[in-house]
Amino acid sequence: MLTLTNVTWLDLCLAGVAVYLVKQMLNKNPAPYPPGPRGLPLIGNIQDMPHIRPWLTFAEWGKKYGPISHVEILGQHIIVLNSVKSAMDMLDKKGAVYSDRPVLPMCGELCGWKHVLALLPYGDRFRQYRKNIHRIMGNRAALDVYHPVEEIETRRFLKRVFSKPGELQDHVRHTAGAIILRISHGYEVKEKNDPFIDLADRAMDQFSRSTAHGAFMVDIMPFLAKVPEWFPGAGFKRLAREWNKTREEMAAIPYEFVKDQMAAGIAPKSFTSKLLEGQTLSVEEDHMVKWSAASLYLGGSDSTVSAIYSLFLAMTLFPHVQKKAQAEIDTVVGTDRLPSFTDRDSLPYIEALVKEVLRWNVVGPTAFPHRVTEDDIHDGYYIPKGSLVIPNAWFMLNDPQAFADPSQFNPERFLDNDGKDPEPEPRTICFGFGRRICPGLHLADASVWISTAMSLAVFDISKVVENGVEITPEVDPTSGTVSHPKPFKCFIKPRSAKAAALIQQDANY
């Protein structure tokens, strides 16, 4: 007699295959699927789906099969988009059909991240989250009130780098967390070992790991979510239980901090306090405010870390770009003060440099998949309901047809040069598409801009020399929902004695 204790993974896989076969027998498609690699009988393209740097494999599919390609894994259809036009036509123009999110068994269900904006299904709660965020920071002008916070925290960043340049990555992460926590919850972080920063870093790491393509078999065969923790091979469920606890603390602890501060009458203005002020909330409304704030942190912190760390990598590898940027700052701002947001319109090369940071080392190479809510025929191809649609932003921003010599870091591609039109605006691609575009994009853009302008005003960034040998960092981004440059060494020093004095000024100045 077959009991649960002697059911094997093979039995479970066979059950999944049986479901797949029944579906296949019942299907009669009105049009062909988009082209793609030929799958195997029963299991489809399970062996074709890449786990490491998937954007590179997707780009190869684009070259071979065209801008829209298709694979199928045990009945789950996956559509990969390798052109901006396809992404705009489907995800923007057909947003009512292409704006849902898939159910992610590991990240969304078992770890509980389904409450965050990035994973919410398209519907009323999704629209309310976005309305909350848009109301506070829906455009550049609305962010003016937060500029002093960003400038103060970036000044503190300069001090940290000046004091301990070898800990650059930690400083970038600390500062990104400090900015977003002050804006989202009015919380001013401690200089060292801040509990909110530590908690958020753990949650972000776990979120990234839980959403990695192909990392957990339960995402391919969702029925595995029902097996008990003690079942052989079900270690992912014990991991999910631990990660769920971190996720809940990351959202709840800062939220309760704001409530306590408001009750005491000492809460500074923040995203959360504005949504709570003068309100008596239902349980559902309270949930939405808490997770709107948590979504703001999740969407802004890790991506900003990746972009600013990429800036320092680019300046290490392309010193001529650094010199041009510094020359513009010196001419427009001078050397007696640091740049501020009031200088932004007067620094076109810095503006172009920030665009190139966002293009060159793409923060979200494949982003989160969209989910199709109705059958669709697009360009003669059948896109069935429930398909996952993955826009390959990495290729769109490295397409040699759109960007000349894309591996090179060249801000001038975004400037008018001898009557030649600038290359495409990367911010229309790197922040997502359609109704799923990142609602905090203006905040992320502002954070990268002020870090770029202030850092290049006072620091020279160059390659490290060890034992007489110059060390050239690798451009080797990590896989994950948010991609980061591989840790690297660089040499950072003040540009002059005057620059060192500017760095050491009171950060609250």
Side-chain angles (χ1 to χ4, degrees):
M1 179 178 178
L2 186 65
T3 65
L4 185 60
T5 55
N6 58 24
V7 171
T8 66
W9 286 112
L10 178 60
D11 297 317
L12 294 171
C13 290
L14 289 173
V17 169
V19 172
Y20 165 74
L21 287 174
V22 170
K23 283 186 176 181
Q24 287 296 97
M25 288 172 19
L26 294 175
N27 276 346
K28 290 185 179 179
N29 297 338
Y33 296 122
R38 183 182 296 274
L40 295 172
L42 304 181
I43 61 174
N45 299 99
I46 196 168
Q47 294 181 329
D48 297 308
M49 202 65 183
H51 300 160
I52 306 299
R53 290 188 283 277
W55 52 89
L56 299 179
T57 300
F58 293 163
E60 290 303 313
W61 292 354
K63 293 173 187 175
K64 186 172 182 179
Y65 303 113
I68 307 175
S69 52
H70 165 266
V71 292
E72 184 178 0
I73 300 173
L74 295 177
Q76 175 63 68
H77 296 276
I78 299 173
I79 311 297
V80 176
L81 307 181
N82 274 295
S83 78
V84 176
K85 183 179 185 305
S86 295
M88 294 291 187
D89 287 348
M90 297 170 81
L91 306 183
D92 280 30
K93 294 179 182 178
K94 298 182 179 180
V97 175
Y98 285 85
S99 295
D100 203 15
R101 284 289 195 230
V103 173
L104 300 183
M106 182 63 180
C107 176
E109 300 301 311
L110 296 177
C111 296
W113 284 105
K114 64 183 178 181
H115 301 296
V116 80
L117 177 63
L119 298 187
L120 274 182
Y122 186 70
D124 291 341
R125 183 177 282 186
F126 168 82
R127 285 186 283 270
Q128 186 60 50
Y129 278 32
R130 288 190 65 92
K131 181 180 178 182
N132 288 343
I133 295 174
H134 190 271
R135 197 174 88 196
I136 308 299
M137 52 185 64
N139 53 57
R140 277 192 182 182
L143 285 173
D144 287 354
V145 68
Y146 299 116
H147 284 169
V149 167
E150 296 213 60
E151 291 177 358
I152 288 169
E153 292 296 345
T154 305
R155 282 175 173 271
R156 291 173 177 169
F157 168 72
L158 302 180
K159 281 190 170 185
R160 295 181 192 111
V161 175
F162 176 73
S163 176
K164 295 182 178 179
E167 298 178 10
L168 173 65
Q169 193 172 29
D170 290 340
H171 301 324
V172 172
R173 187 167 293 282
H174 184 98
T175 302
I179 289 172
I180 200 72
L181 278 169
R182 283 189 72 172
I183 291 172
S184 64
H185 294 86
Y187 175 78
E188 189 165 352
V189 304
K190 297 178 174 61
E191 188 60 32
K192 292 182 179 180
N193 302 319
D194 185 88
F196 282 22
I197 291 286
D198 293 343
L199 175 60
D201 284 351
R202 278 192 288 118
M204 287 301 306
D205 176 65
Q206 293 167 9
F207 177 80
S208 183
R209 289 163 64 187
S210 68
T211 54
H213 290 291
F216 297 96
M217 187 61 69
V218 69
D219 288 329
I220 298 172
M221 292 181 281
F223 59 87
L224 296 178
K226 297 186 182 298
V227 303
E229 282 191 14
W230 52 262
F231 193 79
F236 68 90
K237 294 202 72 172
R238 293 186 289 275
L239 197 62
R241 178 161 45 84
E242 174 191 330
W243 289 359
N244 197 318
K245 184 173 182 293
T246 306
R247 185 266 319 159
E248 179 56 32
E249 290 175 348
M250 189 279 289
I253 293 176
Y255 188 54
E256 291 305 317
F257 166 82
V258 178
K259 285 186 170 181
D260 291 345
Q261 293 265 296
M262 292 181 74
I266 57 173
K269 291 289 184 184
S270 69
F271 172 85
T272 305
S273 69
K274 286 182 179 179
L275 293 176
L276 290 175
E277 196 169 26
Q279 302 294 319
T280 301
L281 303 181
S282 67
V283 172
E284 170 68 7
E285 290 167 337
D286 186 75
H287 174 93
M288 286 198 288
V289 172
K290 179 176 76 173
W291 280 101
S292 294
S295 298
L296 180 61
Y297 183 91
L298 183 73
S301 60
D302 206 33
S303 57
T304 302
V305 171
S306 175
I308 295 173
Y309 199 47
S310 298
L311 163 72
F312 279 82
L313 175 60
M315 296 303 93
T316 304
L317 295 172
F318 301 95
H320 65 285
V321 172
Q322 181 178 176
K323 295 303 179 188
K324 286 183 181 179
Q326 290 170 333
E328 181 181 71
I329 293 169
D330 291 349
T331 299
V332 174
V333 178
T335 58
D336 294 324
R337 66 176 178 89
L338 288 170
S340 70
F341 281 106
T342 58
D343 300 306
R344 186 164 188 175
D345 291 341
S346 304
L347 296 169
Y349 192 81
I350 298 298
E351 190 74 18
L353 195 157
V354 169
K355 292 182 183 182
E356 184 69 337
V357 166
L358 296 172
R359 184 205 68 83
W360 177 70
N361 206 28
V362 188
V363 168
T366 57
F368 285 115
H370 293 229
R371 180 179 176 274
V372 184
T373 54
E374 298 176 13
D375 287 351
D376 185 36
I377 304 293
H378 187 83
D379 283 353
Y381 295 126
Y382 176 48
I383 313 295
K385 178 181 177 179
S387 295
L388 306 187
V389 181
I390 301 175
N392 187 6
W394 180 87
F395 182 73
M396 296 176 198
L397 292 167
N398 283 271
D399 182 355
Q401 298 297 316
F403 300 98
D405 200 1
S407 65
Q408 293 299 300
F409 190 93
N410 178 23
E412 292 182 8
R413 69 175 77 244
F414 300 116
L415 300 173
D416 289 314
N417 289 308
D418 300 324
K420 184 179 179 182
D421 289 338
E423 293 180 0
E425 166 62 70
R427 287 177 292 207
T428 61
I429 300 169
C430 67
F431 289 112
F433 295 94
R435 301 178 189 185
R436 286 289 177 173
I437 193 169
C438 173
L441 65 92
H442 297 296
L443 177 60
D445 178 62
S447 295
V448 177
W449 188 89
I450 196 64
S451 292
T452 299
M454 284 192 176
S455 296
L456 294 182
V458 295
F459 288 129
D460 279 325
I461 305 157
S462 59
K463 295 178 183 178
V464 167
V465 177
E466 294 180 348
N467 301 319
V469 178
E470 193 174 65
I471 306 299
T472 299
E474 292 181 77
V475 180
D476 186 18
T478 62
S479 296
T481 305
V482 175
S483 179
H484 292 263
K486 183 178 179 179
F488 64 93
K489 293 181 179 180
C490 63
F491 182 61
I492 306 172
K493 66 174 184 178
R495 294 177 61 198
S496 64
K498 185 181 283 187
L502 282 177
I503 293 168
Q504 295 176 86
Q505 282 182 351
D506 183 357
N508 291 305
Y509 174 71

